[in-house]
Amino acid sequence: MKTLLVCTSVSHGNTRRVADAMAGVLDARVVAPDEVEVSDLPGYDLVGFGSGVFSQRMHRDLLGFVRAVPRSGPRPLGRAFVFATSGLPEPAFAPFTRPLVRLLEDRGFEVADTFTCRALDTWMPFRLIGGINKQRPDEDDLIAARAFARRLSNDSATTA
């Protein structure tokens, strides 16, 4: 299964650590949005899209990249998943991954699942106390990310 992870990790490298853990399981390449062409995406069986969360939103560079993907029409573009790191937990009533999932579906991706974990956050006012979740993502978070990736890989193998 040919897999690509498009990852924006700008503050502390949290999201990149999660992406690298998943990439090890999926034998995937991890790239920033400016390191891949939108036209390359149909060549992958599975594409992950991830970033840190900023004011309850995924990073603008990642969202801009996905907005540049042309709508595929009636033919699905492929399988995708979304992953994110954030200082605060994802609220069940308004998940911060939901807008990206909807955008990907609008572009023709079949979104298999989402993964989120807590991570170091030094956004104000947390900066005043040195941040929150100072040790995260920790080994347990990376184990969970690998298990998530294995599940995606197994799901792809059973549907192939």
Side-chain angles (χ1 to χ4, degrees):
M1 174 174 70
K2 190 172 177 186
T3 305
L4 178 71
L5 302 183
V6 182
C7 174
T8 301
S9 184
V10 297
S11 297
H12 305 289
N14 298 325
T15 311
R16 180 62 191 235
R17 287 182 56 212
V18 170
D20 288 342
M22 291 178 178
V25 171
L26 297 168
D27 192 26
R29 204 168 60 120
V30 180
V31 297
D34 63 353
E35 296 174 331
V36 65
E37 296 296 324
V38 166
S39 60
D40 295 338
L41 297 181
Y44 290 90
D45 302 308
L46 179 66
V47 182
F49 296 90
S51 80
V53 174
F54 303 85
S55 300
Q56 297 296 307
R57 291 181 185 87
M58 304 293 280
H59 195 276
R60 68 182 176 273
D61 290 352
L62 184 66
L63 293 172
F65 177 79
V66 175
R67 283 186 188 106
V69 174
R71 288 180 175 87
S72 69
R75 190 173 139 253
L77 189 55
R79 289 184 72 232
F81 66 94
V82 173
F83 61 101
T85 58
S86 91
L88 299 173
E90 184 172 40
F93 62 90
F96 41 70
T97 55
R98 184 183 300 154
L100 180 54
V101 167
R102 288 182 175 160
L103 182 59
L104 288 165
E105 289 172 343
D106 180 60
R107 294 307 192 258
F109 283 98
E110 173 198 335
V111 179
D113 206 350
T114 63
F115 175 86
T116 63
C117 74
R118 304 284 290 276
L120 173 62
D121 189 345
T122 55
W123 181 73
M124 284 301 256
F126 306 128
R127 185 177 304 145
L128 299 173
I129 58 168
I132 59 173
N133 303 315
K134 294 176 185 174
Q135 304 303 316
R136 295 188 71 188
D138 59 18
E139 190 55 34
D140 289 339
D141 295 315
L142 299 179
I143 288 169
R146 288 183 198 102
F148 173 83
R150 254 187 305 286
R151 196 169 60 251
L152 287 173
S153 181
N154 291 340
D155 290 349
S156 292
T158 59
T159 58

